[in-house]
Amino acid sequence: MPARRKTLSQTHMQMDVDVDNSVDISRAKKAILNRLNGHAPLPALVGLDGPLDSVYSLLNRTVSSAEGNTALLIGPRGSGKSTIVQRSLDMLKQKHDTDTDIDVDSSSVSKYHIVRLSGFVHTNDKIALRDIARQLLIKQDLENILIGSFADAFTYILNLMRSSDDEKSMPPVLFILEEFDLLAQHPKQSLLYTLFDIAQSQQTPIAVLGITARIDVMDLLEKRVKSRFSHRQIHVSNAKALEDFVDIARVALSIDDNEHRVTNAFAESFNRNVSAILTTDFVASFISDIFDFGKDARLLLRTFVYAANKLSNEHPYLQLAHVKTAIARETASAKMQILESISLLEVCLIISMKSLVQSGSSKYNFEMIYNEYKTFMSRHMLATAGGGAMKVYKKPVALKAFETLVELEIVRPALSSALGSDGSAGTSGRNDLLAGSTQGSRAPKEYRMVQMMLEPGQVLDLVAKRFDIPAVIRRWAQQ
């Protein structure tokens, strides 16, 4: 009996451990996926301390000293501009102990306000003005106000905020302008002129921070807008060293036991596993290729989404095999990914075109492709003792498969068949080949000359990746 009690106790202890691991895995998975998908900022910024200090200092002087400030945050896409802004706002929130993300009641006044605008969303000044009023909690009817100029309507909104304050002084407002270059395309640039003019006047404490990826954004501004702008530019660059680029991935994939409420032992084991994966030759080579190609941190992080999504009780840590699968998908061309799902008959037609190319035919038509396919299949069936080891599809079925390759743009009209009657280049899209006639040619589609948009090496890669291809077809492709 005591032995049985001991066994039951051990069983309960094991169940508790499994439950704890399940909770740890779930929390780690959620945190990492939020970072990789851009829904949560990275816990640390790698190589961005300089721009972060500049942005935070600018916004903090507006909040603390009621200064009017304007600046542009310029850098390539994926360099961390939005992350810098969000981290600066989080630091302001910590310092001034106020929550700007929730509505405040009428009895309390926020120390500062944040207004976010985007050139993608706010395509004209009227839309921008309505959203400014909404974000500043101005609930009055603005229909009559919107009839006038943008400057008058915006001044009216600021006066409403000023009169609602007991001390007759308006709290600072931080304007974050995403896709600043698109906002500069508004007629007369009234939005930017008004914001810069008010910030320069020092009567109202506002900060205007424009975020853009265009390095020539100053050339888009009108002369009167430039005269109101402080010409302060904060530049953000991609990671300058490969080690920093690797650290971005390590920071995104690592977890903290206090922040994510996981056990210390699990966090240490998880982070050691992440470091081990990032230092493997295969993964390190892939990261180096991304760094050399474009230093796009978003592309780097997106690669690990598949592996992070596979975290489970069966796989509590990131698996190298899952990372390799994700890298293979990322490096594979879109054309090769499409080819992975085509039928065996369509693969045979592609191999037939490869054979025609190797025999010296740079252009061919469906009749030539089908004859090549039928010749090989007949020779194979004669060599097979059973006689009917593989099915030979009839011409109408093969023509349908050929049209599928045309729709996928694996097969395109040859250059000569795409020329117009006057010798000029016509359109060579799929409709020209599958329609009743092509420009300059009235031949049936079975006889129109085409070319395959694959290299022989890509055909071999396609055959090697497919497990449903018979050995005889594989040998045919390798000939």
Side-chain angles (χ1 to χ4, degrees), residues 279-303:
T279 54
T280 58
D281 293 339
F282 185 82
V283 179
S285 176
F286 171 74
I287 297 177
S288 178
D289 290 341
I290 297 180
F291 178 79
D292 294 336
F293 182 74
K295 302 179 177 64
D296 191 343
R298 292 180 299 183
L299 174 60
L300 172 66
L301 299 184
R302 188 171 65 242
T303 305

PDB file of all heavy atoms in Angstrom, residues 279-303:
ATOM      1  N   THR A 279      24.180  29.527 -34.399  1.00  0.00           N
ATOM      2  CA  THR A 279      25.602  29.344 -34.693  1.00  0.00           C
ATOM      3  C   THR A 279      25.873  28.144 -35.597  1.00  0.00           C
ATOM      4  O   THR A 279      27.038  27.907 -35.942  1.00  0.00           O
ATOM      5  CB  THR A 279      26.389  29.174 -33.377  1.00  0.00           C
ATOM      6  OG1 THR A 279      25.807  28.115 -32.598  1.00  0.00           O
ATOM      7  CG2 THR A 279      26.382  30.460 -32.578  1.00  0.00           C
ATOM      8  N   THR A 280      24.856  27.389 -35.973  1.00  0.00           N
ATOM      9  CA  THR A 280      25.066  26.293 -36.916  1.00  0.00           C
ATOM     10  C   THR A 280      25.454  26.862 -38.279  1.00  0.00           C
ATOM     11  O   THR A 280      25.048  27.965 -38.647  1.00  0.00           O
ATOM     12  CB  THR A 280      23.801  25.428 -37.052  1.00  0.00           C
ATOM     13  OG1 THR A 280      22.717  26.247 -37.487  1.00  0.00           O
ATOM     14  CG2 THR A 280      23.452  24.773 -35.725  1.00  0.00           C
ATOM     15  N   ASP A 281      26.222  26.094 -39.018  1.00  0.00           N
ATOM     16  CA  ASP A 281      26.748  26.582 -40.303  1.00  0.00           C
ATOM     17  C   ASP A 281      25.621  26.932 -41.267  1.00  0.00           C
ATOM     18  O   ASP A 281      25.682  27.951 -41.968  1.00  0.00           O
ATOM     19  CB  ASP A 281      27.664  25.524 -40.921  1.00  0.00           C
ATOM     20  CG  ASP A 281      28.931  25.318 -40.108  1.00  0.00           C
ATOM     21  OD1 ASP A 281      29.290  26.232 -39.335  1.00  0.00           O
ATOM     22  OD2 ASP A 281      29.549  24.242 -40.230  1.00  0.00           O
ATOM     23  N   PHE A 282      24.582  26.093 -41.321  1.00  0.00           N
ATOM     24  CA  PHE A 282      23.495  26.306 -42.278  1.00  0.00           C
ATOM     25  C   PHE A 282      22.756  27.608 -41.990  1.00  0.00           C
ATOM     26  O   PHE A 282      22.536  28.433 -42.891  1.00  0.00           O
ATOM     27  CB  PHE A 282      22.520  25.126 -42.223  1.00  0.00           C
ATOM     28  CG  PHE A 282      21.430  25.180 -43.253  1.00  0.00           C
ATOM     29  CD1 PHE A 282      21.652  24.746 -44.541  1.00  0.00           C
ATOM     30  CD2 PHE A 282      20.174  25.685 -42.925  1.00  0.00           C
ATOM     31  CE1 PHE A 282      20.650  24.803 -45.499  1.00  0.00           C
ATOM     32  CE2 PHE A 282      19.169  25.751 -43.871  1.00  0.00           C
ATOM     33  CZ  PHE A 282      19.410  25.306 -45.162  1.00  0.00           C
ATOM     34  N   VAL A 283      22.370  27.829 -40.736  1.00  0.00           N
ATOM     35  CA  VAL A 283      21.618  29.029 -40.364  1.00  0.00           C
ATOM     36  C   VAL A 283      22.515  30.264 -40.445  1.00  0.00           C
ATOM     37  O   VAL A 283      22.089  31.323 -40.925  1.00  0.00           O
ATOM     38  CB  VAL A 283      21.023  28.876 -38.952  1.00  0.00           C
ATOM     39  CG1 VAL A 283      20.269  30.136 -38.540  1.00  0.00           C
ATOM     40  CG2 VAL A 283      20.090  27.673 -38.887  1.00  0.00           C
ATOM     41  N   ALA A 284      23.750  30.141 -39.983  1.00  0.00           N
ATOM     42  CA  ALA A 284      24.678  31.280 -40.033  1.00  0.00           C
ATOM     43  C   ALA A 284      24.931  31.715 -41.473  1.00  0.00           C
ATOM     44  O   ALA A 284      25.030  32.913 -41.762  1.00  0.00           O
ATOM     45  CB  ALA A 284      25.990  30.917 -39.346  1.00  0.00           C
ATOM     46  N   SER A 285      25.018  30.761 -42.391  1.00  0.00           N
ATOM     47  CA  SER A 285      25.223  31.097 -43.799  1.00  0.00           C
ATOM     48  C   SER A 285      24.014  31.824 -44.368  1.00  0.00           C
ATOM     49  O   SER A 285      24.164  32.786 -45.134  1.00  0.00           O
ATOM     50  CB  SER A 285      25.494  29.822 -44.597  1.00  0.00           C
ATOM     51  OG  SER A 285      25.605  30.096 -45.974  1.00  0.00           O
ATOM     52  N   PHE A 286      22.812  31.393 -43.991  1.00  0.00           N
ATOM     53  CA  PHE A 286      21.597  32.054 -44.471  1.00  0.00           C
ATOM     54  C   PHE A 286      21.517  33.487 -43.954  1.00  0.00           C
ATOM     55  O   PHE A 286      21.199  34.416 -44.706  1.00  0.00           O
ATOM     56  CB  PHE A 286      20.371  31.261 -44.030  1.00  0.00           C
ATOM     57  CG  PHE A 286      19.069  31.953 -44.289  1.00  0.00           C
ATOM     58  CD1 PHE A 286      18.553  32.039 -45.572  1.00  0.00           C
ATOM     59  CD2 PHE A 286      18.355  32.532 -43.250  1.00  0.00           C
ATOM     60  CE1 PHE A 286      17.353  32.678 -45.821  1.00  0.00           C
ATOM     61  CE2 PHE A 286      17.150  33.176 -43.484  1.00  0.00           C
ATOM     62  CZ  PHE A 286      16.657  33.247 -44.774  1.00  0.00           C
ATOM     63  N   ILE A 287      21.809  33.683 -42.660  1.00  0.00           N
ATOM     64  CA  ILE A 287      21.776  35.033 -42.089  1.00  0.00           C
ATOM     65  C   ILE A 287      22.808  35.921 -42.766  1.00  0.00           C
ATOM     66  O   ILE A 287      22.558  37.103 -43.040  1.00  0.00           O
ATOM     67  CB  ILE A 287      22.004  34.967 -40.563  1.00  0.00           C
ATOM     68  CG1 ILE A 287      20.868  34.197 -39.880  1.00  0.00           C
ATOM     69  CG2 ILE A 287      22.123  36.363 -39.977  1.00  0.00           C
ATOM     70  CD1 ILE A 287      21.045  34.024 -38.389  1.00  0.00           C
ATOM     71  N   SER A 288      23.973  35.356 -43.061  1.00  0.00           N
ATOM     72  CA  SER A 288      25.010  36.126 -43.749  1.00  0.00           C
ATOM     73  C   SER A 288      24.556  36.544 -45.146  1.00  0.00           C
ATOM     74  O   SER A 288      24.838  37.665 -45.587  1.00  0.00           O
ATOM     75  CB  SER A 288      26.292  35.297 -43.836  1.00  0.00           C
ATOM     76  OG  SER A 288      27.294  35.992 -44.539  1.00  0.00           O
ATOM     77  N   ASP A 289      23.821  35.656 -45.829  1.00  0.00           N
ATOM     78  CA  ASP A 289      23.316  35.997 -47.165  1.00  0.00           C
ATOM     79  C   ASP A 289      22.320  37.150 -47.106  1.00  0.00           C
ATOM     80  O   ASP A 289      22.348  38.064 -47.949  1.00  0.00           O
ATOM     81  CB  ASP A 289      22.665  34.766 -47.805  1.00  0.00           C
ATOM     82  CG  ASP A 289      23.687  33.696 -48.173  1.00  0.00           C
ATOM     83  OD1 ASP A 289      24.873  34.036 -48.267  1.00  0.00           O
ATOM     84  OD2 ASP A 289      23.286  32.521 -48.336  1.00  0.00           O
ATOM     85  N   ILE A 290      21.417  37.130 -46.116  1.00  0.00           N
ATOM     86  CA  ILE A 290      20.457  38.222 -45.968  1.00  0.00           C
ATOM     87  C   ILE A 290      21.177  39.527 -45.652  1.00  0.00           C
ATOM     88  O   ILE A 290      20.838  40.589 -46.177  1.00  0.00           O
ATOM     89  CB  ILE A 290      19.427  37.901 -44.871  1.00  0.00           C
ATOM     90  CG1 ILE A 290      18.592  36.679 -45.246  1.00  0.00           C
ATOM     91  CG2 ILE A 290      18.498  39.088 -44.635  1.00  0.00           C
ATOM     92  CD1 ILE A 290      17.549  36.311 -44.213  1.00  0.00           C
ATOM     93  N   PHE A 291      22.190  39.439 -44.803  1.00  0.00           N
ATOM     94  CA  PHE A 291      22.951  40.636 -44.433  1.00  0.00           C
ATOM     95  C   PHE A 291      23.656  41.223 -45.649  1.00  0.00           C
ATOM     96  O   PHE A 291      23.648  42.441 -45.858  1.00  0.00           O
ATOM     97  CB  PHE A 291      23.968  40.275 -43.346  1.00  0.00           C
ATOM     98  CG  PHE A 291      24.838  41.418 -42.916  1.00  0.00           C
ATOM     99  CD1 PHE A 291      24.357  42.378 -42.034  1.00  0.00           C
ATOM    100  CD2 PHE A 291      26.134  41.541 -43.399  1.00  0.00           C
ATOM    101  CE1 PHE A 291      25.157  43.444 -41.641  1.00  0.00           C
ATOM    102  CE2 PHE A 291      26.935  42.594 -43.011  1.00  0.00           C
ATOM    103  CZ  PHE A 291      26.445  43.540 -42.133  1.00  0.00           C
ATOM    104  N   ASP A 292      24.247  40.371 -46.466  1.00  0.00           N
ATOM    105  CA  ASP A 292      24.956  40.857 -47.656  1.00  0.00           C
ATOM    106  C   ASP A 292      23.988  41.383 -48.707  1.00  0.00           C
ATOM    107  O   ASP A 292      24.327  42.311 -49.454  1.00  0.00           O
ATOM    108  CB  ASP A 292      25.806  39.734 -48.257  1.00  0.00           C
ATOM    109  CG  ASP A 292      26.937  39.306 -47.333  1.00  0.00           C
ATOM    110  OD1 ASP A 292      27.340  40.125 -46.487  1.00  0.00           O
ATOM    111  OD2 ASP A 292      27.388  38.144 -47.440  1.00  0.00           O
ATOM    112  N   PHE A 293      22.790  40.796 -48.765  1.00  0.00           N
ATOM    113  CA  PHE A 293      21.851  41.164 -49.829  1.00  0.00           C
ATOM    114  C   PHE A 293      21.154  42.493 -49.547  1.00  0.00           C
ATOM    115  O   PHE A 293      21.053  43.343 -50.419  1.00  0.00           O
ATOM    116  CB  PHE A 293      20.808  40.066 -50.007  1.00  0.00           C
ATOM    117  CG  PHE A 293      19.825  40.341 -51.104  1.00  0.00           C
ATOM    118  CD1 PHE A 293      20.202  40.233 -52.429  1.00  0.00           C
ATOM    119  CD2 PHE A 293      18.522  40.721 -50.814  1.00  0.00           C
ATOM    120  CE1 PHE A 293      19.299  40.496 -53.449  1.00  0.00           C
ATOM    121  CE2 PHE A 293      17.616  40.991 -51.820  1.00  0.00           C
ATOM    122  CZ  PHE A 293      18.004  40.877 -53.148  1.00  0.00           C
ATOM    123  N   GLY A 294      20.645  42.661 -48.309  1.00  0.00           N
ATOM    124  CA  GLY A 294      19.898  43.887 -48.067  1.00  0.00           C
ATOM    125  C   GLY A 294      19.773  44.314 -46.621  1.00  0.00           C
ATOM    126  O   GLY A 294      19.221  45.366 -46.322  1.00  0.00           O
ATOM    127  N   LYS A 295      20.238  43.489 -45.688  1.00  0.00           N
ATOM    128  CA  LYS A 295      20.185  43.816 -44.259  1.00  0.00           C
ATOM    129  C   LYS A 295      18.759  44.084 -43.782  1.00  0.00           C
ATOM    130  O   LYS A 295      18.537  44.921 -42.897  1.00  0.00           O
ATOM    131  CB  LYS A 295      21.072  45.033 -43.950  1.00  0.00           C
ATOM    132  CG  LYS A 295      22.528  44.865 -44.325  1.00  0.00           C
ATOM    133  CD  LYS A 295      23.328  46.122 -43.996  1.00  0.00           C
ATOM    134  CE  LYS A 295      24.802  45.953 -44.291  1.00  0.00           C
ATOM    135  NZ  LYS A 295      25.068  45.738 -45.726  1.00  0.00           N
ATOM    136  N   ASP A 296      17.787  43.376 -44.336  1.00  0.00           N
ATOM    137  CA  ASP A 296      16.389  43.574 -43.970  1.00  0.00           C
ATOM    138  C   ASP A 296      16.078  42.734 -42.734  1.00  0.00           C
ATOM    139  O   ASP A 296      15.965  41.501 -42.807  1.00  0.00           O
ATOM    140  CB  ASP A 296      15.472  43.174 -45.132  1.00  0.00           C
ATOM    141  CG  ASP A 296      14.031  43.605 -44.903  1.00  0.00           C
ATOM    142  OD1 ASP A 296      13.684  43.905 -43.736  1.00  0.00           O
ATOM    143  OD2 ASP A 296      13.262  43.644 -45.868  1.00  0.00           O
ATOM    144  N   ALA A 297      15.926  43.401 -41.589  1.00  0.00           N
ATOM    145  CA  ALA A 297      15.670  42.679 -40.342  1.00  0.00           C
ATOM    146  C   ALA A 297      14.309  42.004 -40.353  1.00  0.00           C
ATOM    147  O   ALA A 297      14.128  40.938 -39.753  1.00  0.00           O
ATOM    148  CB  ALA A 297      15.777  43.636 -39.151  1.00  0.00           C
ATOM    149  N   ARG A 298      13.328  42.601 -41.035  1.00  0.00           N
ATOM    150  CA  ARG A 298      11.995  41.995 -41.078  1.00  0.00           C
ATOM    151  C   ARG A 298      12.021  40.672 -41.823  1.00  0.00           C
ATOM    152  O   ARG A 298      11.339  39.723 -41.437  1.00  0.00           O
ATOM    153  CB  ARG A 298      11.009  42.967 -41.720  1.00  0.00           C
ATOM    154  CG  ARG A 298      10.733  44.198 -40.888  1.00  0.00           C
ATOM    155  CD  ARG A 298       9.751  45.115 -41.567  1.00  0.00           C
ATOM    156  NE  ARG A 298      10.249  45.592 -42.851  1.00  0.00           N
ATOM    157  CZ  ARG A 298       9.602  46.460 -43.620  1.00  0.00           C
ATOM    158  NH1 ARG A 298       8.440  46.921 -43.230  1.00  0.00           N
ATOM    159  NH2 ARG A 298      10.125  46.864 -44.761  1.00  0.00           N
ATOM    160  N   LEU A 299      12.786  40.596 -42.905  1.00  0.00           N
ATOM    161  CA  LEU A 299      12.936  39.332 -43.630  1.00  0.00           C
ATOM    162  C   LEU A 299      13.607  38.289 -42.755  1.00  0.00           C
ATOM    163  O   LEU A 299      13.218  37.109 -42.755  1.00  0.00           O
ATOM    164  CB  LEU A 299      13.747  39.559 -44.907  1.00  0.00           C
ATOM    165  CG  LEU A 299      14.117  38.313 -45.727  1.00  0.00           C
ATOM    166  CD1 LEU A 299      12.860  37.575 -46.172  1.00  0.00           C
ATOM    167  CD2 LEU A 299      14.971  38.685 -46.920  1.00  0.00           C
ATOM    168  N   LEU A 300      14.603  38.703 -41.993  1.00  0.00           N
ATOM    169  CA  LEU A 300      15.291  37.779 -41.094  1.00  0.00           C
ATOM    170  C   LEU A 300      14.333  37.212 -40.054  1.00  0.00           C
ATOM    171  O   LEU A 300      14.284  35.997 -39.830  1.00  0.00           O
ATOM    172  CB  LEU A 300      16.455  38.501 -40.416  1.00  0.00           C
ATOM    173  CG  LEU A 300      17.179  37.741 -39.305  1.00  0.00           C
ATOM    174  CD1 LEU A 300      17.887  36.525 -39.878  1.00  0.00           C
ATOM    175  CD2 LEU A 300      18.172  38.648 -38.586  1.00  0.00           C
ATOM    176  N   LEU A 301      13.551  38.071 -39.425  1.00  0.00           N
ATOM    177  CA  LEU A 301      12.648  37.611 -38.369  1.00  0.00           C
ATOM    178  C   LEU A 301      11.506  36.774 -38.937  1.00  0.00           C
ATOM    179  O   LEU A 301      11.067  35.815 -38.304  1.00  0.00           O
ATOM    180  CB  LEU A 301      12.091  38.818 -37.604  1.00  0.00           C
ATOM    181  CG  LEU A 301      13.141  39.698 -36.889  1.00  0.00           C
ATOM    182  CD1 LEU A 301      12.453  40.799 -36.097  1.00  0.00           C
ATOM    183  CD2 LEU A 301      14.024  38.867 -35.992  1.00  0.00           C
ATOM    184  N   ARG A 302      11.031  37.148 -40.118  1.00  0.00           N
ATOM    185  CA  ARG A 302       9.928  36.389 -40.723  1.00  0.00           C
ATOM    186  C   ARG A 302      10.318  34.941 -41.002  1.00  0.00           C
ATOM    187  O   ARG A 302       9.473  34.046 -41.003  1.00  0.00           O
ATOM    188  CB  ARG A 302       9.489  37.084 -42.007  1.00  0.00           C
ATOM    189  CG  ARG A 302       8.233  36.490 -42.618  1.00  0.00           C
ATOM    190  CD  ARG A 302       7.711  37.334 -43.761  1.00  0.00           C
ATOM    191  NE  ARG A 302       8.635  37.366 -44.884  1.00  0.00           N
ATOM    192  CZ  ARG A 302       9.212  38.452 -45.339  1.00  0.00           C
ATOM    193  NH1 ARG A 302       8.990  39.622 -44.765  1.00  0.00           N
ATOM    194  NH2 ARG A 302      10.033  38.406 -46.379  1.00  0.00           N
ATOM    195  N   THR A 303      11.601  34.696 -41.206  1.00  0.00           N
ATOM    196  CA  THR A 303      12.062  33.343 -41.504  1.00  0.00           C
ATOM    197  C   THR A 303      11.803  32.391 -40.349  1.00  0.00           C
ATOM    198  O   THR A 303      11.548  31.198 -40.559  1.00  0.00           O
ATOM    199  CB  THR A 303      13.565  33.370 -41.839  1.00  0.00           C
ATOM    200  OG1 THR A 303      13.794  34.305 -42.891  1.00  0.00           O
ATOM    201  CG2 THR A 303      14.057  32.003 -42.256  1.00  0.00           C
TER     202      THR A 303
END
